[in-house]
Amino acid sequence: MQDVLWCFSQVKGTIDIGVTEADIISTVEFNHTGELLATGDKGGRVVIFQREQESKNQPHRRGEYNVYSTFQSHEPEFDYLKSLEIEEKINKIRWLPQQNAAYFLLSTNDKTVKLWKVSERDKRPEGYNLKDEDGRLRDPSMITMLRVPVLRPMDLMVEATPRRVFANAHTYHINSISVNSDYETYMSADDLRINLWNFEITNQSFNIVDIKPANMEELTEVITAAEFHPHHCNTFVYSSSKGTIRLCDMRTSALCDRHAKFFEEPEDPSNRSFFSEIISSISDVKFSHSGRYIMTRDYLTVKVWDLNMENRPIETYQVHDYLRSKLCSLYENDCIFDKFECVWNGSDSVIMTGSYNNFFRMFDRNTKRDVTLEASRENSKPRAILKPRKVCVGGKRRKDEISVDSLDFSKKILHTAWHPSENIIAVAATNNLYIFQDKVN
Amino acid sequence: AGLGGCLKAPAEGTGDNQDMQEKETVSPERAEEAKLKAKYPNLGQKPGGSDFLMKRLQKGQKYFDSGDYNMAKAKMKNKQLPSAGPDKNLVTGDHIPTPQDLPQRKSSLVTSKLAG
């Protein structure tokens, strides 16, 4: 299989000297067909891009993504009872599979999940009897004839409306939401608990996992991410801050505190350090599209696990191992707690994750080759091929390499997304969204 | 944690002292740990334990309780009111957030620049 050449396609967002915190992108997600691409930001806003139809006249230009809809999903709230501010930052967006003309997505902040309906309106009724075209009520005594209103075309309008609000079910901060393959339920996970919801019911949810100890002093680990199996509606996994993954089967019991499978890589005790547990904390877990594997991201690596083998991952990829000798300063500036996500490509043959300095990494599972690319305005000429980047670890630095000490740790790529079937990727670089595509010959 | 390519296991064996010193290399992680402990000798005995998790569960929220604040002011009388200190995110003990520690009121909601 020939290596893919990645090209710049588009970049969204502004080039500001100072980044407004609200503009920082906090989640990116393609829908199931790849036609839509949603982003959420710290300001609680969702922006949805739609891929334009490919033009036969310009076959070399693959469909570009243009703004389709934008709305304020969550607003800042204040919990008066606890004197706590609830951030409006969108932690996750998950699309529902399309079942009719409208699109549905779930968006969540720390406390509340919302189901949004995004629909198009391209016709409107005209010729009402009781009101004018501009909505003013007509004087009934002036009406002498009745007519039937007709639908006439209008300029396309895309509306987003909140259809359900799932609130007050989480004491701790929601880190994940996952739509079940039954399309009737979904789960939301916070640091200590996972709840199962029915889309139709907002005033109740089932608690399916609860790891809160009776005495909080005994707390040793928290839930970091959770996801449903792509095909088996009874199966889900959740990861922990201790680097473990538990697979649960909802058929065994109502409360899935006892796992069906427990994935953990044995640690070499002689290598243990103060940082060991922190860097082993899993920041993201994702099922492969096939449902046979799970991928986990911890601070320095990405691992692929076979569901049939619990005692170790089948593949481990080093994302930025050169940071191992920088852990002290990364702990001091809190970067060691950064939560990177990871994604599969459509065929599960390549995995991608972000790093610092606006670098992101791809690992081809078949060829075992990897590449480091950069999301930067400097490489933003249309269809410009991205040049692989290399970090130099001590010793002589070649001309186009960058040394570890020159890396910009404020430029972190935490969120990326891969089109479900094509080689199109979306990379969130702080307040900018980059879209890259493979080279079309 | 996964093993990095640059890690070398400390040498074992009962050879004489000089041999051991030559073979033994400190892993980068351990070296970083030593650096950290040198800077912060009182750092938690239990790495990655309750302290981290508690901090995580609180996640940078700023408590401001006017009742606490006014009572503390009354108690303090002439003394300085203790501020939240260097780590404003972790509020423990007598330290309470004061109005100065709180972030500015958020600006009005505007459309995302991605949609511009």
Side-chain angles (χ1 to χ4, degrees), chain A residues 25-86:
Chain A
I25 300 169
S26 49
T27 183
V28 191
E29 189 85 354
F30 281 100
N31 76 337
H32 294 263
T33 60
E35 182 203 351
L36 299 181
L37 174 63
T39 60
D41 65 22
K42 269 195 161 188
R45 302 160 301 190
V46 172
V47 182
I48 301 175
F49 302 92
Q50 182 186 45
R51 195 174 181 196
E52 64 185 18
Q53 301 286 355
E54 289 183 31
S55 159
K56 290 194 179 70
N57 300 331
Q58 297 181 304
H60 59 275
R61 247 191 66 170
R62 304 266 284 283
E64 286 198 339
Y65 284 85
N66 303 318
V67 180
Y68 179 66
S69 171
T70 180
F71 54 92
Q72 186 78 35
S73 172
H74 288 70
E75 292 180 8
E77 285 175 64
F78 197 78
D79 180 340
Y80 295 98
L81 200 61
K82 298 180 192 169
S83 295
L84 296 182
E85 193 179 10
I86 301 169

Side-chain angles (χ1 to χ4, degrees), chain A residues 32 95-100 104 179-180 183:
Chain A
H32 294 263
W95 290 93
L96 270 68
Q98 199 174 2
Q99 291 175 299
N100 53 37
F104 287 87
V179 179
N180 204 349
Y183 304 160

Side-chain angles (χ1 to χ4, degrees), chain A residues 47 67 71 76-77 125 139 142 169 196 222 251 294 314 329-331 333 356:
Chain A
V47 182
V67 180
F71 54 92
E77 285 175 64
D139 181 354
M142 302 290 285
L196 181 72
V222 294
R251 296 172 299 188
I294 46 175
I314 56 168
S329 45
L330 292 169
Y331 175 85
N333 62 18
Y356 294 104

Side-chain angles (χ1 to χ4, degrees), chain A residues 21 300 304 312 373:
Chain A
E21 193 158 329
L300 299 176
V304 177
R312 59 182 167 82
L373 299 172

Side-chain angles (χ1 to χ4, degrees), chain A residues 135-311:
Chain A
R136 273 182 307 191
L137 292 173
R138 292 167 74 190
D139 181 354
S141 60
M142 302 290 285
I143 299 171
T144 54
M145 274 174 43
L146 283 180
R147 54 188 176 170
V148 177
V150 290
L151 290 174
R152 294 215 189 280
M154 60 179 262
D155 287 340
L156 179 67
M157 197 167 78
V158 182
E159 306 177 299
T161 46
R163 302 296 290 171
R164 305 270 188 276
V165 177
F166 305 92
N168 303 319
H170 287 278
T171 309
Y172 302 99
H173 300 109
I174 298 174
N175 52 56
S176 311
I177 45 175
S178 179
V179 179
N180 204 349
S181 52
D182 63 9
Y183 304 160
E184 288 184 4
T185 57
Y186 76 92
M187 70 154 114
S188 55
D190 68 31
D191 292 314
L192 298 177
R193 298 188 177 105
I194 302 179
N195 294 329
L196 181 72
W197 302 83
N198 181 300
F199 280 110
E200 301 302 316
I201 300 168
T202 58
N203 61 356
Q204 285 181 65
S205 73
F206 276 119
N207 175 242
I208 52 177
V209 173
D210 187 339
I211 64 168
K212 182 172 188 237
N215 179 1
M216 283 297 269
E217 301 277 311
E218 291 165 7
L219 181 69
T220 55
E221 68 184 323
V222 294
I223 297 168
T224 52
E227 196 181 51
F228 268 118
H229 190 283
H231 318 307
H232 304 311
C233 57
N234 54 292
T235 304
F236 65 92
V237 292
Y238 69 91
S239 57
S240 85
S241 53
K242 275 185 153 179
T244 64
I245 307 102
R246 288 169 177 82
L247 184 141
C248 300
D249 185 339
M250 295 195 291
R251 296 172 299 188
T252 55
S253 65
L255 189 60
C256 296
D257 278 357
R258 293 187 58 203
H259 52 263
K261 292 195 188 218
F262 182 71
F263 299 85
E264 185 179 34
E265 182 168 26
E267 192 191 16
D268 183 354
S270 65
N271 279 329
R272 188 160 179 86
S273 74
F274 175 83
F275 303 109
S276 297
E277 194 172 303
I278 304 172
I279 63 172
S280 73
S281 176
I282 292 173
S283 48
D284 195 15
V285 66
K286 291 266 174 43
F287 271 102
S288 64
H289 292 91
S290 63
R292 289 185 52 197
Y293 305 102
I294 46 175
M295 165 168 53
T296 57
R297 175 70 154 97
D298 52 57
Y299 191 60
L300 299 176
T301 73
V302 192
K303 295 179 173 149
V304 177
W305 306 73
D306 187 320
L307 284 193
N308 298 317
M309 188 160 74
E310 298 167 58
N311 60 354

